[in-house]
Amino acid sequence: MKFKWKVAFLITIAAPVLGLFWKHSQPIIENFGTESDLNYADIAWLLTASCLVLLMTPGLSLFYGGMVNKKNLISTMLQSFISLGVITMLWVVVGFSLSFGDSIGFTIDGVKYGIIGNPLQYLFFDQVAELPHNTLGSTIPFILFALFQMKFAVITPAIITGSFAERVRFIGYLFFIGIFSLVVYAPLCHMVWHPNGLIGSYFGVLDFAGGTVVHISAGMAALAGALFLGKRNKPHHEPSNITYVLLGTGMLWFGWFGFNAGSSFGANATAALAFATTTISSATAMMTWVLFDRIQGRKISALQACIGAVVGLVVITPAAGYITVPESFFFGAVGAIVSNLAMNAKFLKKIDDTLDVFACHGIGGIMGMILTAIFAGKEGSSLLHGGIGVFGSHMLVLIGVCIFSFAMSYAIFFILNKFVTLRVREEYEEVGLDISQHGESI
């Protein structure tokens, strides 16, 4: 056990030691604008949006923590919160390079399409400074673009934690989120959001703020984790603190305005539209969820209202800046019904996805991508506007992303488990992870 912790410590301490001696190169002039290109309104908004997205991870920790058994509350919250440390360090060292470095991929008809970014280009934020990048946030400092994107990378593995809560060893979890960030999140981020990315550029797939990159990848990884780790000894539990869930939901909803409206990368009309569609979808999903529960014979509960609100946020994410306000009502309602059915489906109940991450984020993200392909865009660029080819591309990519995210995540769990046992001992699970893993209790 000590050896594994020593490895984790050495990996962590390597970054500040190497950073101390790192020599930054001069920015490549043709890639960057000048100080006169900076828009101070855009800078102010992106700084604010970055703070809002950062708030989502502590919000998620409260949201998840309140749902689990009292003896696992601290452990579950820490699993989300620790992502702020692990992924932030990885992102600065190499994650940003892998996500937004110059494309490494293949050429079709003379055009290069990327699968992953050059890992050496922005090591330790080399060239990531105050000037704006010509193609990546052309009105804001490049370092602000990098930090805004970092918050997305932070929350994605944190979302996964709800699927294997109450039974995962903390050391194994630390290694998993680091590897997941580099081999699953970074390639998807590059393929979808880099100007030369394969999914966004070649297939023309629309993902305004992370339906594919964040929610589908996290949802499929959650399914892989739940399947690999197996069921808890006592799968059913009473939520520890519904008040935490309500507070966490409020923080997530508030932070999601930065998540979606910030993805406009400017203080502009698109940001205002994304702000509106985000809150309307969430409100509609919450009401649809609790009333759908009621007509199914279930009571209206605060917990289910919170889950419905978050599902509405998930579903609207890929389309927030592309659709109209009336359409956002439809996104929220349909997303809530489909995710609700998935969460209560008997065949999914057989899988011990502790906090129903796959049903909410996986299915919610999938529905968001499908609805985006139907509604988003102008003439010829969505199914509703005659874009049959675009719809086909979205569905093809949807299948590919689901398979990639699930297979890669399962492979990480499988291989990692050979070196670090991922599941806690039965007696530790019985005592609770707060005591057995962290020596703390509420």
Side-chain angles (χ1 to χ4, degrees), residues 49-356:
S50 298
C51 294
L52 289 170
V53 183
L54 175 64
L55 186 67
M56 291 174 67
T57 300
L60 183 70
S61 73
L62 284 166
F63 182 72
Y64 279 171
M67 291 186 188
V68 297
N69 194 298
K70 188 177 293 186
K71 63 185 179 181
N72 298 306
L73 190 154
I74 294 172
S75 169
T76 301
M77 292 183 71
L78 181 60
Q79 286 171 16
S80 291
F81 206 82
I82 203 73
S83 184
L84 284 164
V86 176
I87 306 305
T88 295
M89 294 184 71
L90 269 179
W91 186 256
V92 173
V93 175
V94 71
F96 182 63
S97 270
L98 290 170
S99 300
F100 291 98
D102 288 344
S103 291
I104 297 174
F106 47 87
T107 302
I108 302 175
D109 297 330
V111 180
K112 191 169 187 178
Y113 297 101
I115 296 175
I116 194 73
N118 179 356
L120 304 177
Q121 187 170 7
Y122 301 127
L123 276 177
F124 287 95
F125 271 19
D126 192 22
Q127 301 184 56
V128 181
E130 296 86 359
L131 294 178
H133 194 281
N134 288 329
T135 56
L136 301 171
S138 60
T139 63
I140 61 174
F142 194 32
I143 193 169
L144 178 54
F145 173 85
L147 292 173
F148 177 71
Q149 292 291 351
M150 182 181 76
K151 312 307 180 186
F152 288 72
V154 165
I155 199 171
T156 303
I159 291 169
I160 303 168
T161 63
S163 67
F164 45 65
E166 303 192 322
R167 61 196 185 278
V168 69
R169 288 181 68 207
F170 193 69
I171 182 66
Y173 166 71
L174 290 179
F175 281 114
F176 170 77
I177 63 172
I179 298 169
F180 172 88
S181 179
L182 297 179
V183 304
V184 178
Y185 181 85
L188 283 177
C189 182
H190 186 85
M191 286 189 284
V192 174
W193 284 334
H194 191 276
N196 296 325
L198 177 68
I199 291 175
S201 182
Y202 181 73
F203 287 99
V205 169
L206 298 174
D207 186 359
F208 188 75
T212 306
V213 179
V214 176
H215 297 292
I216 293 179
S217 69
M220 299 310 297
L223 179 62
L227 288 170
F228 183 82
L229 288 174
K231 292 185 178 181
R232 291 164 290 168
N233 295 327
K234 296 178 180 178
H236 301 291
H237 68 270
E238 290 296 323
S240 61
N241 195 321
I242 301 298
T243 308
Y244 280 8
V245 181
L246 285 160
L247 179 59
T249 303
M251 292 172 66
L252 284 169
W253 197 333
F254 181 62
W256 223 289
F257 294 130
F259 200 82
N260 285 0
S263 294
S264 66
F265 294 104
N268 51 40
T270 303
L273 175 63
F275 192 105
T277 56
T278 297
T279 200
I280 291 164
S281 175
S282 185
T284 304
M286 178 172 62
M287 295 307 301
T288 302
W289 189 286
V290 295
L291 294 174
F292 187 72
D293 265 353
R294 193 70 192 100
I295 65 173
Q296 299 296 311
R298 296 184 287 269
K299 290 185 177 181
I300 293 178
S301 74
L303 177 63
Q304 296 303 315
C306 291
I307 292 172
V310 171
V311 167
L313 295 167
V314 171
V315 173
I316 199 63
T317 291
Y322 301 135
I323 64 169
T324 65
V325 166
E327 289 168 345
S328 67
F329 282 96
F330 188 76
F331 270 66
V334 172
I337 292 170
V338 174
S339 286
N340 189 298
L341 290 171
M343 196 173 84
N344 292 289
K346 289 183 179 180
F347 73 97
L348 283 180
K349 287 288 187 184
K350 296 177 181 178
I351 301 170
D352 189 11
D353 181 348
T354 311
L355 304 180
D356 298 300

